[in-house]
Structures are given as structure tokens and as C-alpha cells.
Amino acid sequence: MINHISGVILKSHPSKLDEVKAAIATHKNAEVVQEDDHQVIVIIEGNHANDIVDTIEQIQQQSEVLDCTPIYHHFEEDSELNKPLESAQCH
């Protein structure tokens, strides 16, 4: 199985930020990881790219969301997630 992880920035009017966060909380595969007065950074996980896209589309439909900007996407096989990281060497 392949695991997908995406990050997005959602912007809203400051008075609507709590409503945006509440909408995100209804998605079991999405989590607010950072926020300020008018935007949140959200991590979305799924087994398929379509899981990510579906969640983003549902969140974007919230009237409180003014903008949604993708900032990161990564995917890899389950078998790769259990391998130890190799040490990075700087020269």
C-alpha cells in the first residue's frame, strides 16, 4: 500500500478561523498543525491521492475558506516507512 501525506495552507477571515478549524476536525485524515490569526497549516493523510484530493475539495467548499494553497506532497510504500533512516553525511 502507498501512503500519501500532503500539506496545505488555508486562509480565512480572522473571525472565521474557529469555524475553519471545526470543519477540518470533521475529517479523520486531516489535522491542523500550525495557525496564526487568519490561516492554518493542515496535514492530510491518505492511502490514495484521491483521498487527499477529496478532503481538500470538501474543505475548500466551506464558505469560511478564502484560499487553499498546497505546499507539500509526499508518498511512499508501507515497506519503506518501516526502514531506518540512513545517516546523512555532510562533506
Side-chain angles (χ1 to χ4, degrees):
M1 184 179 304
I2 297 176
N3 292 287
H4 292 260
I5 301 171
S6 290
V8 297
I9 296 176
L10 299 174
K11 295 185 179 183
S12 75
H13 189 276
S15 67
K16 300 292 185 180
L17 193 61
D18 286 339
E19 293 173 50
V20 170
K21 292 189 306 185
I24 293 163
T26 66
H27 299 276
K28 63 181 180 181
N29 64 331
E31 176 184 2
V32 173
V33 294
Q34 185 71 38
E35 66 179 273
D36 67 16
D37 65 340
H38 70 282
Q39 63 187 7
V40 292
I41 298 175
V42 179
I43 299 297
I44 303 168
E45 298 181 56
N47 293 326
H48 304 280
N50 287 344
D51 297 336
I52 304 294
V53 172
D54 290 346
T55 300
I56 290 172
E57 287 177 348
Q58 291 170 15
I59 292 170
Q60 283 179 310
Q61 291 176 4
Q62 300 296 314
S63 61
E64 299 84 7
V65 175
L66 301 177
D67 183 54
C68 177
T69 304
I71 55 173
Y72 178 78
H73 184 86
H74 176 79
F75 63 94
E76 61 185 82
E77 297 282 343
D78 278 345
S79 59
E80 294 297 316
L81 293 174
N82 296 322
K83 290 183 180 179
L85 295 175
E86 294 181 23
S87 301
Q89 296 183 0
C90 298
H91 300 279

